[in-house]
Amino acid sequence: TPEVHLKVIGTIPASNKNYKWLVVAMLWWIAFFNYADRQAVYSVFPLLAHDFHLSDTQLGMLGSSFAWVYGLMAPFAGGMVDRIRRKTAILTGLQIWSLVCMATAVSRNFVQLLFFRAAEGLGETVYFPASMSLVSDYHGKATRSRAMGTHQTSVYVGIIAGGYFSGLIAEHLGWRASFLIFGGCGILLGLVLQRFLVEPPRGSADLADMGADNIVPSQPPMSLGLFLKSLRGNRTVLLCMAAFMCENFTAMVLFTWMPTFLYRKFHLSLALSALTATLYIQLTSMLGSPLGGWLADIARRRMPGGRIFIQAIGIFFEAPFAVLCALTNSMNVLILGLLLWGVVKGLYEANIFASVFDAIRPEARGRATGFMNMVGWMAGGGSAPIVVGVLADRLGLSSAIAVTASAYVVAALLLFLAALRFAKSDIERMRRTLITEAAPTSNLNV
């Protein structure tokens, strides 16, 4: 094992127990605009189809273009995050995607719309690798799932606000105004948070869990070759990535097509379609996500794969509720299905990255998040909108959405396998490596 130099953490807000939760609060607002900006376009699909004479397949391409670029650039963004200050990556990314969101308002044809949707994916791809890596260095084993589950609620609020207010603004001011308003607010937020967000030392929370509260290894970023080599032998992480690909496939269908589905099938207004598609499922996801984080932190104390096990339970029960929502002709049944879908959806999403970080070294967590997003968004989310668009042109939108629920069942089986078969050995291997490297120059007990 190469020698690892250790350094003492200076007096920074990380020493304040309350600051680690303030970090979650600041990132919450950034993630809010991350999702509000990307959700805004889906609520105005009917207006875009009218103004630019677009087919369902072309509308699906608008959703897929974001996902393809987001996923393609995710590994590069993750590698960059492991090399630069995560605060810089987060706030610079916020400014870039907010500017692109505003620029979408100048689109005059389908090609320009497609370009700006893809460019927004490029701007947003750095956020989750940077933010999740940063949170993992403020929150260790005892609170990591709760912190990330609380942060995840911003996604749901952002989807609701982005969907509803985009539709509402479009009805009164036109669809271009919504992009200008959301983008402008994101730029202002970035300027405010520049003063308050502090970069933590990498790995500090993990070593604190092992009894080294004031030291962190100054490990260099893991090279791409070494990361891929470690990934090949880490079956827990590979199975979590495969499950995320399946989950994101159906989740992207929900984001992309549910407002249009409700607009056509139940003849709701543009704003009410967007609100119904987002409010119920995201509202109960806000309850399910903190619950999932709390349950996962408890389960993690009882078994190494506890976080993954909670995910598997949640995603397994997503499948029947997705089918119910797609096929029912009753608005009351639809709302009940969306509410229940949201609860179990939150159980899974609270632990997407916390589960993976249990088996990934601190200096590679940005890259791991990037690769996870690549798999989830390119192979899963990137294909879903256009696949459903093509199927909808042939079979109808209800049947097309219902078919996608099978991906949830596959994801659940993959996660149960990871939690019960491979998590213990993979997590212990990562833990022993950290201890062995830190032990020569610290007081850790190996």
Side-chain angles (χ1 to χ4, degrees):
T1 302
E3 180 182 356
V4 177
H5 301 288
L6 300 174
K7 61 183 179 183
V8 178
I9 300 176
T11 304
I12 62 170
S15 61
N16 184 333
K17 292 183 179 180
N18 294 324
Y19 183 77
K20 68 180 184 179
W21 292 104
L22 181 59
V23 167
V24 175
M26 288 186 283
L27 295 176
W28 191 99
W29 281 105
I30 300 176
F32 168 87
F33 282 103
N34 186 283
Y35 268 80
D37 290 356
R38 72 174 74 174
Q39 185 66 23
V41 70
Y42 305 131
S43 299
V44 297
F45 264 10
L47 296 185
L48 296 178
H50 177 268
D51 287 358
F52 299 115
H53 308 290
L54 306 181
S55 68
D56 282 351
T57 300
Q58 287 176 306
L59 291 175
M61 289 176 66
L62 291 177
S64 291
S65 65
F66 173 92
W68 287 333
V69 174
Y70 187 91
L72 181 64
M73 298 307 298
F76 301 100
M80 179 182 68
V81 162
D82 287 334
R83 287 170 167 76
I84 67 174
R85 295 174 74 234
R86 290 158 292 182
K87 172 184 175 179
T88 301
I90 290 168
L91 296 182
T92 302
L94 172 61
Q95 299 290 338
I96 291 173
W97 84 62
S98 297
L99 285 171
V100 172
C101 182
M102 296 181 71
T104 306
V106 306
S107 299
R108 291 294 181 269
N109 54 53
F110 173 69
V111 173
Q112 291 175 359
L113 274 174
L114 198 64
F115 171 80
F116 284 120
R117 285 300 297 165
E120 189 157 338
L122 179 62
E124 292 192 12
T125 192
V126 74
Y127 174 72
F128 268 93
S131 63
M132 294 298 94
S133 174
L134 188 144
V135 169
S136 76
D137 285 329
Y138 278 113
H139 292 268
K141 181 170 63 177
T143 61
R144 187 171 290 162
S145 280
R146 273 174 286 170
M148 293 185 179
T150 301
H151 174 273
Q152 182 68 21
T153 62
S154 64
V155 172
Y156 311 132
V157 179
I159 291 171
I160 294 170
Y164 175 67
F165 285 109
S166 176
L168 185 64
I169 293 168
E171 286 184 339
H172 292 86
L173 302 175
W175 64 266
R176 300 179 194 276
S178 62
F179 293 99
L180 293 173
I181 292 171
F182 281 116
C185 290
I187 291 174
L188 292 176
L189 177 65
L191 296 175
V192 171
L193 294 186
Q194 180 68 41
R195 178 180 177 183
F196 299 105
L197 190 60
V198 176
E199 177 81 8
R202 296 180 195 264
S204 50
D206 292 271
L207 284 175
D209 285 339
M210 301 174 196
D213 293 313
N214 295 317
I215 56 174
V216 293
S218 57
Q219 279 279 45
M222 187 178 291
S223 68
L224 177 60
L226 186 59
F227 173 79
L228 292 175
K229 182 179 179 181
S230 68
L231 201 61
R232 285 198 299 271
N234 196 327
R235 291 161 292 186
T236 299
V237 174
L238 291 174
L239 288 169
C240 285
M241 287 184 177
F244 184 55
M245 175 187 70
C246 296
E247 192 274 345
N248 217 39
F249 182 91
T250 308
M252 193 63 179
V253 172
L254 172 67
F255 298 152
T256 307
W257 284 109
M258 190 59 72
T260 302
F261 168 73
L262 296 173
Y263 181 82
R264 293 177 182 175
K265 185 169 185 177
F266 293 95
H267 308 293
L268 304 179
S269 68
L270 201 64
L272 191 56
S273 295
L275 181 63
T276 304
T278 57
L279 177 63
Y280 297 106
I281 190 168
Q282 309 305 338
L283 193 64
T284 50
S285 291
M286 290 179 62
L287 300 176
S289 186
L291 175 62
W294 177 70
L295 290 173
D297 283 335
I298 294 175
R300 177 65 178 86
R301 292 196 291 269
R302 287 166 169 71
M303 59 182 287
R307 300 191 208 278
I308 305 173
F309 191 78
I310 297 299
Q311 284 186 290
I313 292 173
I315 203 169
F316 180 81
F317 285 103
E318 285 192 70
F321 299 134
V323 173
L324 178 66
C325 291
L327 299 182
T328 183
N329 292 315
S330 166
M331 179 59 73
N332 290 332
V333 173
L334 172 73
I335 291 173
L336 177 62
L338 289 171
L339 290 170
L340 295 173
W341 187 356
V343 173
V344 292
K345 182 172 178 284
L347 296 183
Y348 170 79
E349 292 181 342
N351 299 287
I352 291 173
F353 300 108
S355 294
V356 172
F357 287 177
D358 278 344
I360 287 287
R361 293 172 56 91
E363 68 272 17
R365 285 175 182 163
R367 195 184 294 275
T369 304
F371 268 78
M372 191 144 181
N373 276 335
M374 178 188 70
V375 171
W377 284 93
M378 287 195 69
S383 60
I386 192 168
V387 166
V388 172
V390 171
L391 290 176
D393 283 336
R394 292 162 172 77
L395 305 176
L397 194 51
S398 292
S399 298
I401 293 175
V403 169
T404 67
S406 59
Y408 281 149
V409 178
V410 175
L413 295 176
L414 294 173
L415 290 173
F416 279 124
L417 180 62
L420 301 175
R421 177 68 178 84
F422 300 118
K424 181 177 181 180
S425 59
D426 289 334
I427 292 171
E428 179 62 19
R429 182 170 62 250
M430 189 276 288
R431 176 181 174 276
R432 298 294 298 180
T433 301
L434 283 181
I435 292 177
T436 300
E437 292 178 349
T441 47
S442 73
N443 295 322
L444 287 176
N445 295 320
V446 180

